[in-house]
Amino acid sequence: SLTTVSLPAATSIGSQAFNYCNSLTTVSLPVCLESLGGSAFADCSALKDVYCRVIAPLTTSAFSSVGGSVTLHVPAFSLTSYMLSDSWYSFYKIVPLDETLTELTINNAFTITSFDGLADKTDLTLTKNGQLTISADGTLNIGSFLQQQSTSTSSRWDSSTQSYVYTGISSLVTDSEMKADDVSISLQVRTNRWNFISLPFDVNVSEIEYSEGTLWVIRKYSGADRAALAGNTWQNMTNGTVLKAGEGYILHCANEETSTVKFVFKAVDNAKKNNIFAFQDVVKPLATYASEHAHNRSWNLVGNPYPAYFDTHNIEHNGVITVYNNSGSYSAYSLLDDDYVLRPNEAFFVQCPMDVTSMTFKAEGRMHEDSSKKNGSSTRAPRRNAAISNNRQVYNFTLTNGDFTDKARLVVNPDAKMDYEISCDASKFMSDDPTVPQLYVCDNGIRYAIDERPLGNGIIALGAHFGQTGSYTIALKSNPIENASVLLTDAETGLHVNLAENAYTFTAQAGTSESRFMLHIGEDATGINEIANSKSSNSKVFYDLQGRQVSDQQQKGIYIVKQNGKSRKVLK
């Protein structure tokens, strides 16, 4: 006897929920609906009208056996999308709703090309799965805008596209002007770890909302204290203080009842409130802090200014960014050499050169998804600068214990300097987890995540932190010169390995070593082609690998032995 179905707050309707309701004539689906199960309204023989206020057509077979006289009523600006949708096109008629919408919920990919049918000051919610593009003439005036967000993604396999679909992060890309009376971001963060976040508007800490039973702290970074090597580089933001638009912060929380906590950040009602709707280039000022040492100078923690993924090739700034990754470590990315896509609300470190006091985010870099995740590898062309030497050789090294992997980079560039340069070098940020292995280049007391330098004598020290005693492997991930040797010397074992041919696996005690490993790069770098055992003999002359004659009573290791006018390497 059921004749009408109206579920104004439903987010999900299950499979076959109303199957064979033969008296059902009218169905009303709410704007907040996120999933509609297969055959949910199949075989409803009396059905006449379906009023669907969902903005973007859901993929569903709910109306697989809909009668030939059923009319589908949808939002006016969604009309074309429903007509083209494989899940909805078979309705007898598809017509615009005879009403103006006062509430919009975007829970998948959708493009608004017209504001027809929208009430002035419509409330707009962008859920964690929403991807909204706005490309319409005029200005969209919003009453309340809420973007639901997460600091991490989850994935599911989409059999229709034969690819993984990443969910949990929403995005907004607008080419039209937007304004809102109230703006908020709802951010789901993990507990018991640091979350690096940035917001496009000012937020009063006292007005931050969070789940009951949550203990939390939020801190800002002090580049001035790092430059002065004094004070505390991480400073608590207390009630009454303001999180500034575009700046980066770290958030840590704990809750005994859950592994994630929802925080709601409400924009202060000032001129920066509508920064979240930026559709043009954004210029972010950077602070400069003088320091005796260049690697401590002018550090800033800033963030992605757009509510969308952002391709860092579209940042105008000659330098390196450092991001915090999910393993509790930091990774440095060259804006010249690397592909990296910032998440919405992601914060990162960057140094400010003395002659440049800002960085520009080009609007064309906005994206609805991290394409490197979708495709498995990036197809974007690296950004090149005509002033950059074509003779640059990039060597990427990794250190792993099987569970965690860290990386370091050496760039050989005849036009670079031996000293630290903010435009191309990156100081190593050590992990806050002491068990995670760390790898870096050592030079003149500085730890480098990326060291760009001339070749010099071709000998470079690699530093390593071993979080625990065990087996480790050092590998060369890329060799810019085909068939060239990259010789790694292990001072503890006396072994030499050509990393261009083989990775090096070894054991290490927990601790930090900056003198154990040396790299020798250059035409005269020689690998061990043959290892032979040798006993002491007065007829042989022994030399170390630096060419110095030694006694045959030296400790065990690899030596050059000359006998009968011939030389070879031997293991004693």
Side-chain angles (χ1 to χ4, degrees), residues 208-454:
I208 297 176
E209 301 175 10
Y210 49 91
S211 304
E212 184 178 355
T214 300
L215 301 175
W216 61 282
V217 63
I218 190 165
R219 294 172 178 166
K220 69 176 182 179
Y221 188 77
S222 174
D225 283 336
R226 172 165 181 170
L229 296 179
N232 187 359
T233 53
W234 290 110
Q235 301 173 357
N236 289 346
M237 301 296 293
T238 56
N239 281 340
T241 59
V242 173
L243 308 182
K244 296 182 178 179
E247 298 296 315
Y249 299 88
I250 57 173
L251 172 66
H252 192 283
C253 62
N255 190 307
E256 295 180 354
E257 302 297 326
T258 179
S259 61
T260 62
V261 172
K262 182 175 75 173
F263 286 83
V264 178
F265 301 92
K266 180 178 175 60
V268 173
D269 190 11
N270 60 20
K272 299 177 182 179
K273 176 178 61 179
N274 289 307
N275 285 1
I276 195 170
F277 305 124
F279 62 97
Q280 298 174 329
D281 297 350
V282 174
V283 178
K284 171 58 185 171
L286 298 177
T288 58
Y289 307 106
S291 179
E292 179 182 357
H293 303 291
H295 64 284
N296 289 323
R297 184 182 303 151
S298 302
W299 281 99
N300 290 254
L301 183 60
V302 297
N304 178 2
Y306 299 107
Y309 285 103
F310 187 84
D311 181 353
T312 58
H313 284 301
N314 292 278
I315 294 178
E316 289 187 350
H317 180 78
N318 291 325
V320 176
I321 65 172
T322 299
V323 302
Y324 188 77
N325 56 47
N326 289 332
S327 65
S329 296
Y330 297 86
S331 298
Y333 293 95
S334 165
L335 296 178
L336 173 65
D337 298 311
D338 293 316
D339 294 322
Y340 187 74
V341 176
L342 292 166
R343 301 187 309 274
N345 306 118
E346 182 175 5
F348 60 91
F349 288 101
V350 64
Q351 280 186 281
C352 179
M354 298 301 291
D355 57 341
V356 179
T357 57
S358 66
M359 63 192 312
T360 300
F361 297 81
K362 305 290 289 185
E364 62 195 62
R366 295 172 297 167
M367 307 164 61
H368 277 306
E369 56 192 0
D370 181 347
S371 61
S372 64
K373 288 182 178 179
K374 179 181 178 182
N375 301 324
S377 61
S378 174
T379 58
R380 299 183 299 276
R383 180 170 59 90
R384 292 291 175 186
N385 187 323
I388 299 296
S389 169
N390 291 324
N391 298 321
R392 297 171 72 252
Q393 302 165 13
V394 179
Y395 299 86
N396 292 312
F397 301 92
T398 60
L399 172 67
T400 183
N401 64 355
D403 296 323
F404 298 99
T405 299
D406 195 37
K407 62 183 181 179
R409 174 178 298 165
L410 174 69
V411 182
V412 176
N413 180 1
D415 296 331
K417 298 178 181 179
M418 292 296 292
D419 295 333
Y420 187 98
E421 295 181 90
I422 290 177
S423 61
C424 56
D425 293 325
S427 181
K428 179 69 175 181
F429 280 62
M430 301 296 284
S431 173
D432 54 14
D433 183 347
T435 66
V436 174
Q438 302 283 274
L439 185 67
Y440 47 90
V441 177
C442 300
D443 187 47
N444 198 27
I446 302 175
R447 295 174 173 177
Y448 291 84
I450 299 177
D451 184 12
E452 185 155 348
R453 50 176 287 169

